[in-house]
Amino acid sequence: MTIQSPVATAESTLMEIELPDDVRAALGAELVTLPEPTRDIDWSTARIHQIFAQLPTETLQRILDFGRHPDTPGVGHVRNLPTDDRLPGTPRDGDPSPEKVTFVAEGVLLGLSGLLGEPVGFTTEKKGRLVHDVVPVEGGAMTQTNQGSSVFLNFHNDIVHDATGRYDIASPDFLVLSCLRADHEGTAGTYYADARDICRALDTRTLDTLRSPLFRMNAPGSYVRDVAGGAEVLSDPVPMIKGPVAFPEVSAAANGVRPTNDVARAALDRLQAACREVAHEVFLRPGQALLINNRKGLHARSRFTARYDGRDRWLQRTYVRRNQWDIRYRATSGKRRLH
Ligand SMILES: O=C(O)CCC(=O)C(=O)O
Ligand SMILES: [Fe+2]
């Protein structure tokens, strides 16, 4: 009798899916009739779920498995998704475009998100919206935020400031990034380093350090900018890697990790180097999406050139929780899904 190892045996920590043309066309034909989905999000996600139920069973199962099992890949690249026939200019400020009249892209984003969990909003991120527009913003070009373009956005996971002092608990379980428009030169890369691959690349002493509560995370750039007047707001000291060896969870703030001693600083440098070594690289194009497990790994973005001419790179993003129960202490009165 063969005993199955619980350790991930997938040949890769990247899942790749390409929809057949007829499936793309069938999804697109129904998504194009959607009203703006965030006006009645619970009805819209039910309707979009119905549409996405038409995916071939094997494809549906792979995406569901991606969301529900610890041993599945941390990142998924989905290609040949339907797109809007007419796309207005890329919004310049990170707010939604008022000129967008069909909602195929939003339907794709919410359809994929709904197979992983529930889209949620956070009051201090993108004004609490459920569909985020991720675009280069001139004033934020140099920042370690999703508005940036002229600097490499370091390996991080998307965390949220929380009054408990822990920023990695209420954070999204997944993010979905869907591409509406690529950057001018097509060189903007998104990277994903899976914690299982990171741990294999690191020595035991470094791993022991990363598993110790020696790191303080700075709150996200949006929180520091909009709530804290630019001052750092550090978390309690936390480990960067935690959980069983077979299924590690990793966390790193984009807006700065403050090591509490020199050993921790050296381990942090090694972690970023290991991420660069093991990362998967994806150049997102229109009609493609990335499913990102925000606990199994860290993601990053290359630098790219923004022109602020209405034709810049444009992604839409959701933050997804498997469920909202554990973060109900953050619920906003009268606004479901807003934390
Ligand atoms: O622009 C990208 O490819 C990724 C940006 C990012 O880290 C995010 O939106 O959370
Ligand atoms: Fe991110």
Side-chain angles (χ1 to χ4, degrees):
M1 192 174 76
T2 322
I3 297 170
Q4 292 283 317
S5 158
V7 179
T9 48
E11 68 287 3
S12 167
T13 40
L14 167 71
M15 170 179 79
E16 300 206 59
I17 290 177
E18 175 145 3
L19 298 191
D21 288 345
D22 59 329
V23 173
R24 183 199 54 195
L27 292 181
E30 300 206 44
L31 292 175
V32 77
T33 67
L34 282 178
E36 199 289 303
T38 62
R39 274 201 213 130
D40 187 349
I41 187 68
D42 288 330
W43 182 88
S44 298
T45 48
R47 172 71 192 121
I48 295 167
H49 218 63
Q50 229 165 20
I51 298 172
F52 270 71
Q54 302 167 46
L55 284 173
T57 307
E58 288 68 29
T59 305
L60 195 54
Q61 186 193 340
R62 287 179 75 204
I63 300 175
L64 291 170
D65 285 353
F66 179 91
R68 62 192 168 192
H69 291 306
D71 66 352
T72 45
V75 62
H77 186 196
V78 187
R79 298 190 301 271
N80 207 27
L81 290 155
T83 55
D84 291 283
D85 285 342
R86 280 190 41 243
L87 195 61
T90 301
R92 283 161 210 249
D93 46 8
D95 288 332
S97 167
E99 288 153 43
K100 200 158 182 304
V101 290
T102 55
F103 302 98
V104 176
E106 288 78 355
V108 163
L109 183 74
L110 291 168
L112 294 170
S113 303
L115 299 177
L116 306 179
E118 293 298 333
V120 292
F122 292 97
T123 46
T124 51
E125 187 65 28
K126 302 277 183 192
K127 302 180 182 158
R129 291 193 183 98
L130 297 174
V131 173
H132 304 166
D133 291 281
V134 171
V135 298
V137 176
E138 200 157 9
M142 301 289 292
T143 59
Q144 286 287 320
T145 71
N146 69 78
Q147 299 185 344
S149 53
S150 0
V151 288
F152 186 89
L153 175 57
N154 291 322
F155 282 92
H156 68 278
N157 66 341
D158 284 28
I159 56 172
V160 288
H161 172 270
D162 194 271
T164 60
R166 295 291 303 261
Y167 301 168
D168 55 335
I169 307 290
S171 50
D173 295 319
F174 301 92
L175 20 159
V176 180
L177 292 175
S178 169
C179 180
L180 283 70
R181 183 172 279 136
D183 58 305
H184 286 280
E185 288 153 2
T187 56
T190 307
Y191 301 87
Y192 187 86
D194 192 295
R196 290 161 289 191
D197 295 329
I198 295 171
C199 290
R200 275 191 283 270
L202 289 171
D203 61 277
T204 315
R205 282 184 59 193
T206 302
L207 275 176
D208 285 349
T209 306
L210 292 169
R211 283 180 170 279
S212 306
L214 297 171
F215 305 89
R216 303 184 77 193
M217 308 283 164
N218 193 10
S222 52
Y223 185 89
V224 164
R225 185 184 62 226
D226 301 338
V227 182
E232 288 198 333
V233 186
L234 298 180
S235 73
D236 293 345
V238 290
M240 297 191 72
I241 296 180
K242 62 186 181 187
V245 170
F247 307 117
E249 176 168 338
V250 62
S251 182
N255 199 28
V257 178
R258 304 286 167 240
T260 54
N261 63 35
D262 288 346
V263 176
R265 182 176 309 283
L268 174 60
D269 289 346
R270 281 193 210 109
L271 172 69
Q272 284 286 336
C275 287
R276 285 192 290 273
E277 262 169 47
V278 304
H280 301 286
E281 177 183 60
V282 172
F283 297 97
L284 279 171
R285 296 289 178 258
Q288 299 187 359
L290 268 188
L291 314 180
I292 293 181
N293 187 310
N294 197 40
R295 302 194 183 280
K296 287 181 181 174
L298 301 177
H299 59 281
R301 190 218 61 235
S302 71
R303 55 193 300 274
F304 65 97
T305 307
R307 296 191 194 151
Y308 313 110
D309 60 355
R311 290 287 172 276
D312 275 323
R313 184 171 187 255
W314 184 3
L315 308 183
Q316 286 183 339
R317 180 181 75 183
T318 47
Y319 280 166
V320 178
R321 291 278 304 192
R322 285 297 287 180
N323 75 58
Q324 301 188 77
W325 183 251
D326 295 342
I327 55 170
R328 66 192 183 284
Y329 67 95
R330 295 178 57 110
T332 309
S333 96
K335 294 223 167 168
R336 282 168 157 178
R337 298 174 188 270
L338 179 60
H339 297 274

